[in-house]
């Protein structure tokens, strides 16, 4: 799970995907309208990406609020500076808020485009909740956030709304249910700086806080679940990402894994997006070079849209979402080649496929009705051999040659 990129921002020009319209130009309160443009910068500013920003970006279905919200983020930075809260952040207002309309392609993120070409790209994967990282990661684990959507301080009224950041969660989440069925799992956390500030209205700012596997953060909510932390066996399943590479090499990866980045490799502005791509490629390569490759599937996504433009109105399933569209990639020896999957998914879809695979009862209505992503697979094809890409900031040249796909009797699990 990477950070803060919308679908149009990364794949809006990918062939066959529902990408950028030709006639888009969003109003800018400080100048001419802003049309989508190719952004060759490897470090982006991004836009505010909290609960209120999501709904303002969607603007009742018009999907035209992205530049306005990005401009307002400047006002937030200035207001915080005037209050003496964040004097060191004032220089962020010099960054161009219009970069929320920028898009990247194979020139900046060649490996991601190669994965889309060689495996499956999902162009209708939506964040589960129209908000920021913590609720998104809770939905990834529990198909709900306990009603929490934001802990933002409203500077205009000096009141908190929607409640402070919770410190404890008591609702069911998937690892608890996996453990009860004796299914092995691990949650791998990359030590280092956090991928974000605590305030999703501050853009292009790297947090000075650090993270480790047993520390509760927006990207690692499991330590706030007593049923995980009070059970030594379950608590020990929260480990550093370095262990992921060792587990993959030794063929000891658990049946279900999550891998969480540090700020430097998260792709969350102002992180260099190529450093994140190299990090993800290293994870994919570790699985491909593992004895477990032929029975593995890798799902890659980004936890929220990061304020970047996307033109597709999310389906409204309840009062919390769905949120704005994010990229989705599916990599597996049984994944279809060069397939753009147009079905509607959300983060509950990962839960659904795990529940179906291991016979677990859904936790909420959300994961009960979620599409399970099986459309990404062709179990009649022979397992495809690994295709190792360069785990470097430059990545591998795009496009990589397609593989020869052989078919035989179905091997569906």
């Amino acid at each position: 799970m990477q950070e803060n990129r919308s679908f149009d921002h990364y794949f809006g020009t990918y062939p066959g995907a529902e990408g950028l319209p030709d006639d888009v130009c969003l109003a800018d309160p400080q100048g001419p309208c802003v049309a989508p443009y190719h952004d060759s910068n490897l470090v982006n500013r991004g836009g505010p990406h909290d609960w209120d920003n999501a709904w303002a970006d969607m603007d009742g279905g018009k999907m035209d609020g992205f530049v306005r919200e990005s401009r307002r983020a400047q006002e937030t930075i200035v207001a915080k500076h005037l209050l003496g809260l964040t004097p060191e952040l004032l220089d962020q207002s010099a960054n161009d808020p219009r970069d929320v309309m920028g898009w990247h392609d194979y020139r900046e993120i060649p490996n991601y485009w190669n994965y889309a070409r060689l495996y499956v790209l999902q162009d209708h994967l939506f964040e589960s909740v129209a908000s920021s990282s913590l609720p998104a990661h809770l939905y990834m684990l529990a198909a709900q956030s306990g009603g929490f959507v934001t802990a933002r301080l409203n500077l205009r009224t000096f009141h908190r709304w929607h409640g402070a950041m919770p410190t404890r969660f008591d609702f069911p989440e998937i690892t608890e249910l996996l453990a009860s069925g004796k299914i092995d799992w691990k949650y791998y956390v990359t030590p280092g700086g956090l991928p974000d500030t605590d305030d999703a209205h501050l853009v292009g700012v790297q947090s000075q806080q650090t993270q480790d596997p047993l520390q509760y953060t927006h990207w690692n909510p499991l330590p706030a679940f007593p049923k995980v932390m009070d059970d030594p066996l379950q608590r020990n399943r929260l480990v550093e990402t370095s262990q992921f590479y060792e587990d993959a090499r030794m063929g000891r990866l658990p049946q279900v894994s999550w891998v969480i980045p540090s700020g430097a490799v998260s792709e969350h502005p102002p992180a260099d997006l190529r450093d994140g791509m190299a990090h993800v490629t290293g994870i994919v390569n570790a699985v491909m070079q593992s004895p477990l490759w032929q029975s593995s599937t890798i799902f890659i996504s980004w936890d929220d849209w990061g304020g970047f433009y996307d033109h597709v109105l999310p389906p409204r399933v309840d009062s919390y979402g769905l949120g704005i569209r994010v990229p989705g990639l599916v990599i597996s020896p049984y994944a279809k080649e060069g397939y753009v999957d147009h079905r509607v998914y959300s983060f509950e879809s990962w839960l659904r496929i795990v529940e179906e695979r291991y016979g677990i009862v859904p936790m909420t209505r959300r994961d009960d009705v979620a599409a399970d992503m099986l459309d990404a697979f062709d179990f009649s094809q022979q397992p495809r051999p690994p295709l190792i890409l360069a785990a470097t900031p430059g990545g591998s040249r795009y496009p990589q040659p397609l593989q020869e796909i052989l078919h035989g009797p179905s091997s569906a699990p």
Side-chain angles (χ1 to χ4, degrees), residues 258-272:
W258 293 263
V259 185
I260 304 302
S262 66
V265 295
S266 67
E267 298 164 63
H268 188 298
D272 188 313

Side-chain angles (χ1 to χ4, degrees), residues 47-336:
H49 45 278
D50 212 331
W51 171 261
D52 58 324
N53 308 123
W55 296 105
D57 283 352
M58 291 185 277
D59 192 17
K62 292 183 283 188
M63 304 301 290
D64 65 358
F66 297 83
V67 178
R68 288 195 302 270
E69 288 300 290
S70 190
R71 288 290 188 192
R72 287 177 185 169
Q74 290 179 304
E75 299 175 6
T76 301
I77 292 168
V78 172
K80 282 180 173 284
H81 174 69
L82 293 176
L83 290 172
L85 299 176
T86 53
E88 73 279 6
L89 300 181
L90 186 61
D91 61 352
Q92 293 297 323
S93 62
N95 292 341
D96 190 346
R98 295 172 295 182
D99 90 338
V100 295
M101 298 302 291
W103 51 264
H104 299 292
D105 62 14
Y106 61 89
R107 288 168 284 187
E108 293 80 44
I109 46 172
N111 286 3
Y112 288 149
W113 274 53
N114 276 317
Y115 288 142
R117 169 179 163 83
L118 294 165
Y119 299 99
V120 176
L121 173 66
Q122 298 166 322
D123 69 351
H124 281 79
L125 172 62
F126 296 88
E127 183 188 358
S128 293
V129 56
S131 190
S132 54
S133 291
L134 177 56
H137 282 252
L138 287 167
Y139 271 85
M140 178 181 71
L141 291 164
Q144 64 163 305
S145 64
F148 172 77
V149 293
T150 184
R152 178 185 175 238
L153 177 66
N154 185 338
L155 291 175
R156 289 192 175 91
T157 63
F158 296 92
H159 289 291
R160 288 191 179 272
W161 45 294
H162 296 292
M165 179 174 169
T167 58
R168 175 188 175 105
F169 301 109
D170 291 313
F171 48 84
E173 50 78 26
I174 191 71
T175 71
E176 170 193 340
L177 302 182
L178 290 171
S180 67
K182 308 304 181 185
I183 305 300
D184 194 22
W185 63 271
K186 283 184 182 176
Y187 196 91
Y188 297 92
V189 177
T190 308
L194 287 176
D196 199 358
T197 63
D198 288 336
D199 186 346
H201 286 73
L202 295 178
V203 296
V205 178
Q206 197 70 63
S207 173
Q208 298 304 306
Q209 301 177 37
T210 58
Q211 67 180 12
D212 65 63
L214 296 180
Q215 179 184 356
Y216 166 42
T217 69
H218 290 194
W219 307 273
N220 181 19
L222 285 176
F225 285 86
K227 289 187 177 180
V228 174
M229 292 302 285
D230 293 347
D231 183 338
L233 179 61
Q234 304 313 314
R235 185 172 64 245
N236 289 338
R237 298 179 188 272
L238 279 65
V239 298
E240 294 188 4
T241 301
S242 58
Q243 186 65 47
F244 178 88
Y245 293 97
E246 178 66 13
D247 289 345
R249 186 178 67 85
M250 298 299 294
R252 294 197 302 247
L253 283 173
Q255 290 156 289
V256 184
S257 303
W258 293 263
V259 185
I260 304 302
S262 66
V265 295
S266 67
E267 298 164 63
H268 188 298
D272 188 313
L273 56 88
R274 284 195 170 188
D275 290 340
M277 180 189 71
H279 165 74
V280 171
T281 304
I283 292 168
V284 173
N285 287 350
V287 177
M288 288 186 169
Q289 294 170 321
S290 167
L292 302 173
W293 162 244
Q294 289 199 0
S295 60
S296 297
T297 294
I298 304 165
F299 299 100
I300 301 170
S301 190
W302 289 257
D303 70 352
D304 65 58
W305 82 111
F308 292 105
Y309 175 70
D310 194 85
H311 78 282
V312 175
L313 178 65
R316 186 71 182 272
V317 299
D318 57 31
S319 59
Y320 299 106
L322 299 176
I324 293 172
R325 194 171 61 145
V326 294
L329 294 165
V330 183
I331 300 170
S332 171
Y334 291 101
K336 297 174 183 177

